[in-house]
Amino acid sequence: MARLLAAVLTCWLLPLILSGRPGAPCPDNQQLTSEISRIEEATDRKEVIRNLGQLLIRKRKCGQPPDSSLAGLLHALGRAYWYDYQLDSAVFYTRHSIDINASGARSAKYADLANSYYNLALIASEQNDFEQSLKLLDTTISVASRYREKQSLVGKSHMLKASIMTALGDYEKAVSTSDLGYRLSYAGGDSEMMIYNLIEKAQAQIYMKRNTEADKTLRNALTLVKEYSSHDQLGAIYSLLAKNAGNIGKPAEVVQFYKKAFDSYRRFGDDYGCGQAAASLAYYYRFHLREHELALKEYRIALSYINNPEMRAVVYNDMSESYRDREEYEEALRLKRVAFAETGLVSHHSGLYENPSFNALRPIFDKAAFLTIIQDKAYDWLEFAKSEGKDRTMLGYALKTYMLADTMIDHMRWEHSGSVTRLFWRDKTKDMYERAIETCYLLEDTERAFYFLEKSKAILLADQLQESGAAHLLSESDRRKERDLRRKVSEWQNKLEAATDTAVTSDRASLFAAREELDIFIKSLEKTNPLYYAYKYDNKVPSVGDVRNNILKDGQVFLSYFVGDSAVYGLAIRQGKTVFKRLDLQQYNLLTGAFQGLIIDRNTQNSNFREYLRVSSALYKLLIAPFKIPEAARVVISPDGSFLSFSALSRSDSHPDFLVKHYAVSYTYSAVVLGKMQRKSAGSWFSPVFFGMAPVKFAPSLDQAPLTGSGQALRNIDRYFFRSRIAMGRDASRSEFVASSPGYRIVQLFTHASADSSGSIPTLYFADSTLRLNELSLPRKPVTELLVLSACQTGVGKNQRGEGVFSLARGFAALGIPSVLTTLWSVENEPVYRITQNLYEQISDDIPLDIALQNAQKQWLQTASTHGQLPYAWAGMVIVGNTEPVGTGIPPGRIWLFGGLILAAAGIYMARAYGSMD
């Protein structure tokens, strides 16, 4: 409706406004400003919009050209629509206000552009378009900085920029931005914005655990509050001081500051702030001090100040957790029922086992809070069941509740845009999946256990694959409709957040209707565009049977791990059998830590080889032996977190008996991702097949050692291909890789790479420059089926909880490349060149990639020196993704045979032709 209104106004009303109608009486600018102020004093939003619209019509009759007073009226009308959450109309009027003031006309007021750009930035922020919001804020600052009367907008804009950066996790920029905002506000004498920028700065510092700096920042803010008598920020400052004191282990200060925050909010009549301060103190009493009676007392105080039903539900849930902590499970579950009943999701007389339906939960604005309540209820049932001798009925209630929580997570993923936000949800749900898997383990339900194992992994990567695969499958009109429907849902969510008690019911109904409209459109795509639907929206987890029959290839075993806070779980799927085990977490942590320390350094491994055999054998017995995997199997491993080189584990603790001799090992991020990593069309025998790059030497500014021998290694590999191209030396540039690599089925890189688990961005080095993971994009969808990264540490990166390692290999997988051969540590030149050449010899014979790598590594072991047989030298190369053979075209050795056959056939034809002429 908002878009229709904007269109009508564009076609009819605005031209009339801009053209004017001569002879009509017109208020002067002062009268117009007074009239706008009077209208805006009304509390009814619709009335404000109606009266401003009438004033606009009066202004239109004045017969004057567009001027600053008209721009001010359009700006006010845009603001009124914004307050009513009709964001399209808000943007429409604000943009036209900008057009007038930016026109350069004598009567325009350029300085007022700052206000309009700032409002547009706020609207973009509400629509979660943070990139656009930041750009608009920069424009606001640029304009406002020129005018003394607009200096307050400079401080406000920096504060909002800092807030957005904190939300995006860019805490360093948030600190520097708010610090600049503080200094500019100080120069402009704006004490209020000085305080608000300090508050934003402190929040970012607290997130970074810079607690001493945060304390100093907040103390400065307190001094300013007292100096300028700006006491309405006191509650926020004291709450942050309490949070910071909790981080550094000062419980007395936490209690003191939360009580001061409560008193400050009460002094200014802020019931919401009072409720939040009391609830935060209650949580601290419960979770950190285990003072349950004090916690319950504070929760009851919070309830006396909070009127919003959804917030009351959250407080009742927190009260419930206090009873669960004391193992009073029935009371805990009763309070869960009260929490749901507060918002009408269940009746007060429903059974403890009853859950709200998913449809009842969909209109809820704060789904994150209700997801927490549902997760907590499932945990209540799990702990209750364990206290009652693993009661299967209670475990069934827990499982049913975890399934409801998982359904909510699926839908919430599509309501929150951006990888940062989705990753946040993966982090927040990891604990839930561990408890759901434990429930399945106690119920001996391997099918559901596999389901939750999959849902805990690589969902962000699956989303990226869905987005990249779907991008080119939707028409422009459908793409626009999908975007508009999502925006409509977002606008109603924002409106509901700020709704008064009387408007909540109607706004919630409107949000529900908007979501229904979006769902109907998505379901229609299943019929009208099934390929797009399958890529983007079909997030089904394959069953154990699907994995066995449709994803695994001949002789493959799928082995998936989940590493939780209390246990490690492993599940193996092979023909005719599924094995589900709970493994010792403490042993796992000790052994993997020791193994990683021994595997990545030649000297450490050589001087401690007996210890290496002991540790690797113990890991084999912990992670592989319990699943009784048949000899010569092809093992597909879905790890949780960092990749381990399973081929380097030894079955014996007294002599080397590496698993590479017994199994062909490959890796995948999840069964869902593996199922999506299908081979593309092989193309013709004469289509481009191989593209190889070896910079050999690097620009001095990159500070990288030459890779002597890499050029010859690349030439050796090139002999296996007919339609190929190699780029060496200066030709092996970043731009050449980006431009050329997407057109070849097999891409080989001999180069340096850097990555670690500390959070630095994984980076590839080319002759002239670098390519970082966050810059990884290609100009077109690649036809590449195998990418071989013969570089140091391409498989290593920051381990994101619930997502696995964020690495270069993972980045290329997100582009849709089904098979990536990568390295897990700083490999040495000679073994990596030889093993890579051995690999291509195998690949050219149409051998599956996992077996090809196994054979290549075994060939190396047969001829290597004693030092060369150390796992450090050969076991760092691993294959991730699809392991089916890759079509390599016609090998050069067969070209002559193929040409000879053609010549022979031509000779026979000519002989017959001349014979017939005789």
Side-chain angles (χ1 to χ4, degrees), residues 4-57:
L4 178 61
L5 176 62
V8 170
L9 290 168
T10 304
C11 297
W12 173 72
L13 182 57
L14 194 69
L16 291 174
I17 293 167
L18 297 181
S19 64
R21 197 178 282 175
C26 183
D28 60 32
N29 288 357
Q30 186 176 354
Q31 290 172 331
L32 188 67
T33 302
S34 298
E35 186 69 7
I36 292 171
S37 299
R38 186 190 64 77
I39 291 171
E40 289 184 321
E41 288 175 0
T43 55
D44 185 88
R45 296 171 185 165
K46 304 292 185 190
E47 182 183 344
V48 172
I49 291 171
R50 183 171 59 253
N51 290 335
L52 286 175
Q54 291 173 354
L55 186 58
L56 193 58
I57 293 171

Side-chain angles (χ1 to χ4, degrees), residues 436-437 440-441 445-454 571 580:
I437 293 168
C440 296
Y441 179 77
D445 187 339
T446 56
E447 189 70 50
R448 291 293 186 194
F450 176 69
Y451 174 86
F452 285 118
L453 273 164
E454 281 293 300
L571 191 147
F580 182 31

Side-chain angles (χ1 to χ4, degrees), residues 279 283 286 299 313-323 376:
Y283 180 84
R286 177 182 74 82
Y299 281 132
V314 171
V315 175
Y316 275 116
N317 180 64
D318 288 346
M319 290 180 71
S320 166
E321 297 302 277
S322 283
Y323 285 101
D376 288 343

Side-chain angles (χ1 to χ4, degrees), residues 182 194-196 198-199 202 214-231 233-242 256-257 260-261 264 267:
Y182 168 80
M194 289 166 61
I195 296 166
Y196 277 120
L198 286 175
I199 289 172
D215 186 76
K216 182 179 178 182
T217 302
L218 290 166
R219 301 281 180 180
N220 287 341
L222 272 181
T223 301
L224 286 174
V225 165
K226 292 172 183 176
E227 183 178 346
Y228 293 103
S229 300
S230 183
H231 296 290
Q233 300 107 328
L234 267 177
I237 295 170
Y238 282 130
S239 292
L240 285 174
L241 280 167
Q256 175 193 2
F257 285 133
K260 284 188 174 184
S264 299
R267 195 177 306 123

Side-chain angles (χ1 to χ4, degrees), residues 455-497:
K455 293 306 289 285
S456 72
K457 293 182 182 180
I459 298 301
L460 182 56
L461 177 56
D463 285 347
Q464 289 174 303
L465 289 171
Q466 286 170 327
E467 294 286 351
S468 63
H472 64 291
L473 296 171
L474 202 62
S475 68
E476 180 56 35
S477 60
D478 278 347
R479 187 178 294 114
R480 189 164 49 248
K481 184 174 182 180
E482 181 184 38
R483 183 178 63 245
D484 289 346
L485 289 171
R486 290 193 178 282
R487 183 183 295 168
K488 188 176 179 181
V489 170
S490 177
E491 288 176 4
W492 278 111
Q493 285 177 325
N494 290 331
K495 190 171 183 179
L496 184 60
E497 182 178 20

Side-chain angles (χ1 to χ4, degrees), residues 739-758:
S740 300
S741 64
Y744 291 82
R745 263 186 279 157
I746 300 174
V747 176
Q748 168 69 52
L749 287 174
F750 281 115
T751 187
H752 286 296
S754 64
D756 58 38
S757 58
S758 68

